Amino acid sequence: MIPAPPAIRWHRPLLWLAAAMAILAVGAIVGLIVDPRTLTGAPLWAKPLKFAISVGLYAVTLSWLIGLLPAAHARRRHLAWWAGTIAAVFLVVEMVIIVGAAAAGLTSHFNVSTAFHAALWSVMAASIVTVWVAAVPIAILLLRADLGDPARALAIRAGLLIALVGMGLAFLMTGPTAAQLDDYQGIVGAHTVGVADGGPGLPLLGWSTVAGDLRIPHFVGMHALQVLPLAALLLEALARWMPALARPLARRGILRALVGLYLGVLALLTGQALAGQSIVQPNALVITLAAALFGAATVAIAVTLRRESRRARA
């Protein structure tokens, strides 16, 4: 029998932030419709929309994770509450700068063209670092907490740790490119590798279709925070029709394979971006490695299901 999830006491400041991001997302969609301006080749309000959705998802998930900490450990919950509150405050700071820059028709990231813009970029960078640091004690507390079901616990812990790695990959974008060193134009740092920002990209996401793009591994890594726990919940739902999945060790084995796959894909996407290769134009090596990763995960899952099905029948 699958244990019920523990009672959750949601972190309210993060929920308020998520609600604010939902409102902002609606406003950004209106901006996309009524404001024809573009910036670095993309619609002006696309970045506020993407960040509003991403921050909103992060806020809801982090609020839930903090709420999972056992009520019996009051000091740990208190520490996690403050860490979550600090993260919420500095996410607001980041979003104010992003939206303000968009309203003014200016780029917010990497802009050091004037002392004022350099100060804003410094504040934003410091806010991002603070949000990352605030997540560390929450991850440590969740590693030590009793989260009940072992498969669910693995998904939550691995998701948060991989998300920390994904958030950290953003720092790869902050160094000056060779072109910027040769011809300084007030921008230091870039999303793309091999070409200047603003070239052809995927709709809405903006990921480059002609060069490497470091936003891709950053995005994939960061959202392990949602993907892996959702995978655990999906396996629990499927256990109603697949008796083997009712066994905690079966679900944990499958999640181990999924975590390994996720890490492998994240490493592959990071290497592909750093090599200057577009995600829509993978070479033979990338295709081969991706096939090997998915093949290995499929075999591991099949072996786990077969083994646990035998045990369930026994």
Side-chain angles (χ1 to χ4, degrees):
M1 183 177 179
I2 301 172
I8 299 172
R9 295 179 60 186
W10 294 83
H11 184 279
R12 290 188 178 181
L14 284 167
L15 286 184
W16 296 337
L17 173 61
M21 290 302 101
I23 296 171
L24 175 59
V26 173
I29 291 172
V30 173
L32 287 172
I33 296 172
V34 303
D35 190 343
R37 291 179 295 170
T38 61
L39 188 64
T40 62
L44 184 65
W45 292 98
K47 176 176 283 189
L49 175 61
K50 290 187 292 184
F51 272 80
I53 294 172
S54 183
V55 169
L57 286 173
Y58 181 77
V60 168
T61 310
L62 196 63
S63 174
W64 171 64
L65 291 174
I66 293 172
L68 289 176
L69 291 169
H73 299 151
R75 289 185 178 180
R76 295 179 184 179
R77 288 181 65 96
H78 188 66
L79 173 60
W81 189 91
W82 276 109
T85 302
I86 291 170
V89 168
F90 282 92
L91 284 169
V92 169
V93 172
E94 181 184 3
M95 290 305 301
V96 167
I97 295 174
I98 290 172
V99 174
L106 300 170
T107 181
S108 53
H109 286 67
F110 319 128
N111 189 349
V112 292
S113 56
T114 67
F116 176 70
H117 291 108
L120 288 179
W121 171 231
S122 296
V123 171
M124 182 184 293
S127 298
I128 295 169
V129 172
T130 303
V131 171
W132 187 90
V133 171
V136 173
I138 298 172
I140 295 172
L141 292 172
L142 285 169
L143 285 173
R144 301 178 60 186
D146 180 8
L147 299 176
D149 181 71
R152 195 185 305 140
L154 172 63
I156 290 170
R157 291 163 179 163
L160 184 50
L161 291 175
I162 296 173
L164 285 172
V165 174
M167 292 166 67
L169 290 174
F171 295 107
L172 295 174
M173 308 179 205
T174 58
T177 66
Q180 290 167 353
L181 291 173
D182 292 338
D183 184 21
Y184 175 69
Q185 297 291 330
I187 301 295
V188 175
H191 298 124
T192 53
V193 177
V195 300
D197 284 351
L202 294 174
L204 185 59
L205 292 171
W207 298 342
S208 177
T209 56
V210 295
D213 199 316
L214 291 165
R215 288 173 293 187
I216 299 172
H218 173 56
F219 174 90
V220 171
M222 187 169 59
H223 289 293
L225 193 63
Q226 291 84 32
V227 172
L228 292 175
L230 285 174
L233 295 176
L234 177 60
L235 290 176
E236 291 178 16
L238 291 175
R240 299 177 183 179
W241 298 278
M242 298 179 64
L245 291 179
R247 299 174 62 84
L249 293 180
R251 297 195 307 279
R252 188 174 67 180
I254 293 172
L255 280 165
R256 283 176 174 171
L258 293 178
V259 169
L261 174 62
Y262 209 103
L263 286 169
V265 169
L266 180 59
L268 185 61
L269 290 174
T270 303
Q272 185 183 29
L274 289 173
Q277 182 183 119
S278 170
I279 192 172
V280 299
Q281 297 176 359
N283 60 20
L285 176 60
V286 170
I287 294 173
T288 301
L289 290 174
L293 285 170
F294 281 92
T298 301
V299 170
I301 291 171
V303 169
T304 297
L305 285 174
R306 184 176 181 182
R307 181 183 67 242
E308 296 302 326
S309 294
R310 287 178 176 176
R311 291 178 178 175
R313 289 194 298 268

mmCIF file with all atom_site columns, all heavy atoms in Angstrom, residues 17-35:
data_model
loop_
_atom_site.group_PDB
_atom_site.id
_atom_site.type_symbol
_atom_site.label_atom_id
_atom_site.label_alt_id
_atom_site.label_comp_id
_atom_site.label_asym_id
_atom_site.label_entity_id
_atom_site.label_seq_id
_atom_site.pdbx_PDB_ins_code
_atom_site.Cartn_x
_atom_site.Cartn_y
_atom_site.Cartn_z
_atom_site.occupancy
_atom_site.B_iso_or_equiv
_atom_site.pdbx_formal_charge
_atom_site.auth_seq_id
_atom_site.auth_comp_id
_atom_site.auth_asym_id
_atom_site.auth_atom_id
_atom_site.pdbx_PDB_model_num
ATOM 1   N N   . LEU A 1 17 ? 3.646  35.110 -4.113  1.00 0.00 ? 17 LEU A N   1
ATOM 2   C CA  . LEU A 1 17 ? 4.493  35.404 -5.270  1.00 0.00 ? 17 LEU A CA  1
ATOM 3   C C   . LEU A 1 17 ? 3.967  34.684 -6.513  1.00 0.00 ? 17 LEU A C   1
ATOM 4   O O   . LEU A 1 17 ? 3.914  35.279 -7.596  1.00 0.00 ? 17 LEU A O   1
ATOM 5   C CB  . LEU A 1 17 ? 5.934  34.976 -4.975  1.00 0.00 ? 17 LEU A CB  1
ATOM 6   C CG  . LEU A 1 17 ? 6.915  35.062 -6.152  1.00 0.00 ? 17 LEU A CG  1
ATOM 7   C CD1 . LEU A 1 17 ? 7.037  36.494 -6.653  1.00 0.00 ? 17 LEU A CD1 1
ATOM 8   C CD2 . LEU A 1 17 ? 8.283  34.515 -5.747  1.00 0.00 ? 17 LEU A CD2 1
ATOM 9   N N   . ALA A 1 18 ? 3.576  33.424 -6.350  1.00 0.00 ? 18 ALA A N   1
ATOM 10  C CA  . ALA A 1 18 ? 3.050  32.672 -7.486  1.00 0.00 ? 18 ALA A CA  1
ATOM 11  C C   . ALA A 1 18 ? 1.788  33.330 -8.036  1.00 0.00 ? 18 ALA A C   1
ATOM 12  O O   . ALA A 1 18 ? 1.595  33.413 -9.260  1.00 0.00 ? 18 ALA A O   1
ATOM 13  C CB  . ALA A 1 18 ? 2.764  31.232 -7.069  1.00 0.00 ? 18 ALA A CB  1
ATOM 14  N N   . ALA A 1 19 ? 0.913  33.809 -7.147  1.00 0.00 ? 19 ALA A N   1
ATOM 15  C CA  . ALA A 1 19 ? -0.300 34.494 -7.593  1.00 0.00 ? 19 ALA A CA  1
ATOM 16  C C   . ALA A 1 19 ? 0.040  35.771 -8.351  1.00 0.00 ? 19 ALA A C   1
ATOM 17  O O   . ALA A 1 19 ? -0.572 36.090 -9.391  1.00 0.00 ? 19 ALA A O   1
ATOM 18  C CB  . ALA A 1 19 ? -1.184 34.810 -6.390  1.00 0.00 ? 19 ALA A CB  1
ATOM 19  N N   . ALA A 1 20 ? 1.041  36.507 -7.853  1.00 0.00 ? 20 ALA A N   1
ATOM 20  C CA  . ALA A 1 20 ? 1.472  37.728 -8.538  1.00 0.00 ? 20 ALA A CA  1
ATOM 21  C C   . ALA A 1 20 ? 2.035  37.406 -9.919  1.00 0.00 ? 20 ALA A C   1
ATOM 22  O O   . ALA A 1 20 ? 1.811  38.143 -10.891 1.00 0.00 ? 20 ALA A O   1
ATOM 23  C CB  . ALA A 1 20 ? 2.512  38.464 -7.695  1.00 0.00 ? 20 ALA A CB  1
ATOM 24  N N   . MET A 1 21 ? 2.755  36.288 -10.034 1.00 0.00 ? 21 MET A N   1
ATOM 25  C CA  . MET A 1 21 ? 3.327  35.897 -11.324 1.00 0.00 ? 21 MET A CA  1
ATOM 26  C C   . MET A 1 21 ? 2.234  35.492 -12.307 1.00 0.00 ? 21 MET A C   1
ATOM 27  O O   . MET A 1 21 ? 2.366  35.713 -13.520 1.00 0.00 ? 21 MET A O   1
ATOM 28  C CB  . MET A 1 21 ? 4.324  34.753 -11.130 1.00 0.00 ? 21 MET A CB  1
ATOM 29  C CG  . MET A 1 21 ? 5.611  35.150 -10.410 1.00 0.00 ? 21 MET A CG  1
ATOM 30  S SD  . MET A 1 21 ? 6.538  36.480 -11.235 1.00 0.00 ? 21 MET A SD  1
ATOM 31  C CE  . MET A 1 21 ? 6.069  37.897 -10.222 1.00 0.00 ? 21 MET A CE  1
ATOM 32  N N   . ALA A 1 22 ? 1.151  34.905 -11.806 1.00 0.00 ? 22 ALA A N   1
ATOM 33  C CA  . ALA A 1 22 ? 0.032  34.564 -12.683 1.00 0.00 ? 22 ALA A CA  1
ATOM 34  C C   . ALA A 1 22 ? -0.581 35.835 -13.275 1.00 0.00 ? 22 ALA A C   1
ATOM 35  O O   . ALA A 1 22 ? -0.897 35.900 -14.475 1.00 0.00 ? 22 ALA A O   1
ATOM 36  C CB  . ALA A 1 22 ? -1.018 33.769 -11.908 1.00 0.00 ? 22 ALA A CB  1
ATOM 37  N N   . ILE A 1 23 ? -0.739 36.855 -12.434 1.00 0.00 ? 23 ILE A N   1
ATOM 38  C CA  . ILE A 1 23 ? -1.273 38.136 -12.908 1.00 0.00 ? 23 ILE A CA  1
ATOM 39  C C   . ILE A 1 23 ? -0.310 38.773 -13.910 1.00 0.00 ? 23 ILE A C   1
ATOM 40  O O   . ILE A 1 23 ? -0.720 39.295 -14.958 1.00 0.00 ? 23 ILE A O   1
ATOM 41  C CB  . ILE A 1 23 ? -1.528 39.077 -11.716 1.00 0.00 ? 23 ILE A CB  1
ATOM 42  C CG1 . ILE A 1 23 ? -2.609 38.488 -10.803 1.00 0.00 ? 23 ILE A CG1 1
ATOM 43  C CG2 . ILE A 1 23 ? -1.914 40.465 -12.201 1.00 0.00 ? 23 ILE A CG2 1
ATOM 44  C CD1 . ILE A 1 23 ? -2.775 39.233 -9.487  1.00 0.00 ? 23 ILE A CD1 1
ATOM 45  N N   . LEU A 1 24 ? 0.988  38.721 -13.589 1.00 0.00 ? 24 LEU A N   1
ATOM 46  C CA  . LEU A 1 24 ? 1.993  39.288 -14.487 1.00 0.00 ? 24 LEU A CA  1
ATOM 47  C C   . LEU A 1 24 ? 1.995  38.570 -15.830 1.00 0.00 ? 24 LEU A C   1
ATOM 48  O O   . LEU A 1 24 ? 2.146  39.202 -16.888 1.00 0.00 ? 24 LEU A O   1
ATOM 49  C CB  . LEU A 1 24 ? 3.374  39.207 -13.844 1.00 0.00 ? 24 LEU A CB  1
ATOM 50  C CG  . LEU A 1 24 ? 4.557  39.663 -14.710 1.00 0.00 ? 24 LEU A CG  1
ATOM 51  C CD1 . LEU A 1 24 ? 4.375  41.112 -15.151 1.00 0.00 ? 24 LEU A CD1 1
ATOM 52  C CD2 . LEU A 1 24 ? 5.869  39.502 -13.951 1.00 0.00 ? 24 LEU A CD2 1
ATOM 53  N N   . ALA A 1 25 ? 1.832  37.247 -15.806 1.00 0.00 ? 25 ALA A N   1
ATOM 54  C CA  . ALA A 1 25 ? 1.816  36.480 -17.047 1.00 0.00 ? 25 ALA A CA  1
ATOM 55  C C   . ALA A 1 25 ? 0.666  36.936 -17.945 1.00 0.00 ? 25 ALA A C   1
ATOM 56  O O   . ALA A 1 25 ? 0.831  37.087 -19.167 1.00 0.00 ? 25 ALA A O   1
ATOM 57  C CB  . ALA A 1 25 ? 1.701  34.994 -16.755 1.00 0.00 ? 25 ALA A CB  1
ATOM 58  N N   . VAL A 1 26 ? -0.490 37.181 -17.345 1.00 0.00 ? 26 VAL A N   1
ATOM 59  C CA  . VAL A 1 26 ? -1.635 37.674 -18.118 1.00 0.00 ? 26 VAL A CA  1
ATOM 60  C C   . VAL A 1 26 ? -1.314 39.045 -18.710 1.00 0.00 ? 26 VAL A C   1
ATOM 61  O O   . VAL A 1 26 ? -1.595 39.319 -19.892 1.00 0.00 ? 26 VAL A O   1
ATOM 62  C CB  . VAL A 1 26 ? -2.891 37.746 -17.234 1.00 0.00 ? 26 VAL A CB  1
ATOM 63  C CG1 . VAL A 1 26 ? -4.040 38.426 -17.982 1.00 0.00 ? 26 VAL A CG1 1
ATOM 64  C CG2 . VAL A 1 26 ? -3.306 36.348 -16.777 1.00 0.00 ? 26 VAL A CG2 1
ATOM 65  N N   . GLY A 1 27 ? -0.694 39.910 -17.895 1.00 0.00 ? 27 GLY A N   1
ATOM 66  C CA  . GLY A 1 27 ? -0.307 41.225 -18.397 1.00 0.00 ? 27 GLY A CA  1
ATOM 67  C C   . GLY A 1 27 ? 0.692  41.136 -19.527 1.00 0.00 ? 27 GLY A C   1
ATOM 68  O O   . GLY A 1 27 ? 0.627  41.904 -20.501 1.00 0.00 ? 27 GLY A O   1
ATOM 69  N N   . ALA A 1 28 ? 1.648  40.199 -19.428 1.00 0.00 ? 28 ALA A N   1
ATOM 70  C CA  . ALA A 1 28 ? 2.652  40.039 -20.476 1.00 0.00 ? 28 ALA A CA  1
ATOM 71  C C   . ALA A 1 28 ? 2.010  39.539 -21.775 1.00 0.00 ? 28 ALA A C   1
ATOM 72  O O   . ALA A 1 28 ? 2.420  39.940 -22.871 1.00 0.00 ? 28 ALA A O   1
ATOM 73  C CB  . ALA A 1 28 ? 3.739  39.072 -20.005 1.00 0.00 ? 28 ALA A CB  1
ATOM 74  N N   . ILE A 1 29 ? 1.013  38.660 -21.642 1.00 0.00 ? 29 ILE A N   1
ATOM 75  C CA  . ILE A 1 29 ? 0.316  38.186 -22.837 1.00 0.00 ? 29 ILE A CA  1
ATOM 76  C C   . ILE A 1 29 ? -0.400 39.349 -23.525 1.00 0.00 ? 29 ILE A C   1
ATOM 77  O O   . ILE A 1 29 ? -0.375 39.479 -24.759 1.00 0.00 ? 29 ILE A O   1
ATOM 78  C CB  . ILE A 1 29 ? -0.687 37.076 -22.457 1.00 0.00 ? 29 ILE A CB  1
ATOM 79  C CG1 . ILE A 1 29 ? 0.076  35.818 -22.011 1.00 0.00 ? 29 ILE A CG1 1
ATOM 80  C CG2 . ILE A 1 29 ? -1.601 36.750 -23.631 1.00 0.00 ? 29 ILE A CG2 1
ATOM 81  C CD1 . ILE A 1 29 ? -0.822 34.738 -21.444 1.00 0.00 ? 29 ILE A CD1 1
ATOM 82  N N   . VAL A 1 30 ? -1.012 40.213 -22.717 1.00 0.00 ? 30 VAL A N   1
ATOM 83  C CA  . VAL A 1 30 ? -1.645 41.415 -23.290 1.00 0.00 ? 30 VAL A CA  1
ATOM 84  C C   . VAL A 1 30 ? -0.591 42.272 -23.984 1.00 0.00 ? 30 VAL A C   1
ATOM 85  O O   . VAL A 1 30 ? -0.819 42.792 -25.087 1.00 0.00 ? 30 VAL A O   1
ATOM 86  C CB  . VAL A 1 30 ? -2.368 42.212 -22.188 1.00 0.00 ? 30 VAL A CB  1
ATOM 87  C CG1 . VAL A 1 30 ? -2.882 43.547 -22.743 1.00 0.00 ? 30 VAL A CG1 1
ATOM 88  C CG2 . VAL A 1 30 ? -3.518 41.401 -21.602 1.00 0.00 ? 30 VAL A CG2 1
ATOM 89  N N   . GLY A 1 31 ? 0.576  42.414 -23.342 1.00 0.00 ? 31 GLY A N   1
ATOM 90  C CA  . GLY A 1 31 ? 1.659  43.172 -23.947 1.00 0.00 ? 31 GLY A CA  1
ATOM 91  C C   . GLY A 1 31 ? 2.100  42.599 -25.281 1.00 0.00 ? 31 GLY A C   1
ATOM 92  O O   . GLY A 1 31 ? 2.387  43.341 -26.230 1.00 0.00 ? 31 GLY A O   1
ATOM 93  N N   . LEU A 1 32 ? 2.152  41.279 -25.380 1.00 0.00 ? 32 LEU A N   1
ATOM 94  C CA  . LEU A 1 32 ? 2.520  40.643 -26.645 1.00 0.00 ? 32 LEU A CA  1
ATOM 95  C C   . LEU A 1 32 ? 1.523  40.975 -27.747 1.00 0.00 ? 32 LEU A C   1
ATOM 96  O O   . LEU A 1 32 ? 1.887  41.082 -28.924 1.00 0.00 ? 32 LEU A O   1
ATOM 97  C CB  . LEU A 1 32 ? 2.600  39.122 -26.461 1.00 0.00 ? 32 LEU A CB  1
ATOM 98  C CG  . LEU A 1 32 ? 3.791  38.579 -25.677 1.00 0.00 ? 32 LEU A CG  1
ATOM 99  C CD1 . LEU A 1 32 ? 3.619  37.084 -25.425 1.00 0.00 ? 32 LEU A CD1 1
ATOM 100 C CD2 . LEU A 1 32 ? 5.091  38.833 -26.422 1.00 0.00 ? 32 LEU A CD2 1
ATOM 101 N N   . ILE A 1 33 ? 0.264  41.130 -27.346 1.00 0.00 ? 33 ILE A N   1
ATOM 102 C CA  . ILE A 1 33 ? -0.794 41.389 -28.337 1.00 0.00 ? 33 ILE A CA  1
ATOM 103 C C   . ILE A 1 33 ? -0.797 42.848 -28.782 1.00 0.00 ? 33 ILE A C   1
ATOM 104 O O   . ILE A 1 33 ? -0.928 43.151 -29.978 1.00 0.00 ? 33 ILE A O   1
ATOM 105 C CB  . ILE A 1 33 ? -2.165 40.999 -27.751 1.00 0.00 ? 33 ILE A CB  1
ATOM 106 C CG1 . ILE A 1 33 ? -2.212 39.491 -27.476 1.00 0.00 ? 33 ILE A CG1 1
ATOM 107 C CG2 . ILE A 1 33 ? -3.291 41.402 -28.704 1.00 0.00 ? 33 ILE A CG2 1
ATOM 108 C CD1 . ILE A 1 33 ? -3.447 39.052 -26.715 1.00 0.00 ? 33 ILE A CD1 1
ATOM 109 N N   . VAL A 1 34 ? -0.649 43.780 -27.831 1.00 0.00 ? 34 VAL A N   1
ATOM 110 C CA  . VAL A 1 34 ? -0.846 45.204 -28.150 1.00 0.00 ? 34 VAL A CA  1
ATOM 111 C C   . VAL A 1 34 ? 0.449  45.957 -28.401 1.00 0.00 ? 34 VAL A C   1
ATOM 112 O O   . VAL A 1 34 ? 0.417  47.058 -28.956 1.00 0.00 ? 34 VAL A O   1
ATOM 113 C CB  . VAL A 1 34 ? -1.630 45.898 -27.013 1.00 0.00 ? 34 VAL A CB  1
ATOM 114 C CG1 . VAL A 1 34 ? -2.958 45.205 -26.777 1.00 0.00 ? 34 VAL A CG1 1
ATOM 115 C CG2 . VAL A 1 34 ? -0.811 45.936 -25.713 1.00 0.00 ? 34 VAL A CG2 1
ATOM 116 N N   . ASP A 1 35 ? 1.598  45.376 -28.002 1.00 0.00 ? 35 ASP A N   1
ATOM 117 C CA  . ASP A 1 35 ? 2.871  46.088 -28.145 1.00 0.00 ? 35 ASP A CA  1
ATOM 118 C C   . ASP A 1 35 ? 3.727  45.381 -29.193 1.00 0.00 ? 35 ASP A C   1
ATOM 119 O O   . ASP A 1 35 ? 4.225  44.269 -28.954 1.00 0.00 ? 35 ASP A O   1
ATOM 120 C CB  . ASP A 1 35 ? 3.602  46.109 -26.794 1.00 0.00 ? 35 ASP A CB  1
ATOM 121 C CG  . ASP A 1 35 ? 4.809  47.050 -26.812 1.00 0.00 ? 35 ASP A CG  1
ATOM 122 O OD1 . ASP A 1 35 ? 5.268  47.419 -27.911 1.00 0.00 ? 35 ASP A OD1 1
ATOM 123 O OD2 . ASP A 1 35 ? 5.295  47.408 -25.715 1.00 0.00 ? 35 ASP A OD2 1
#
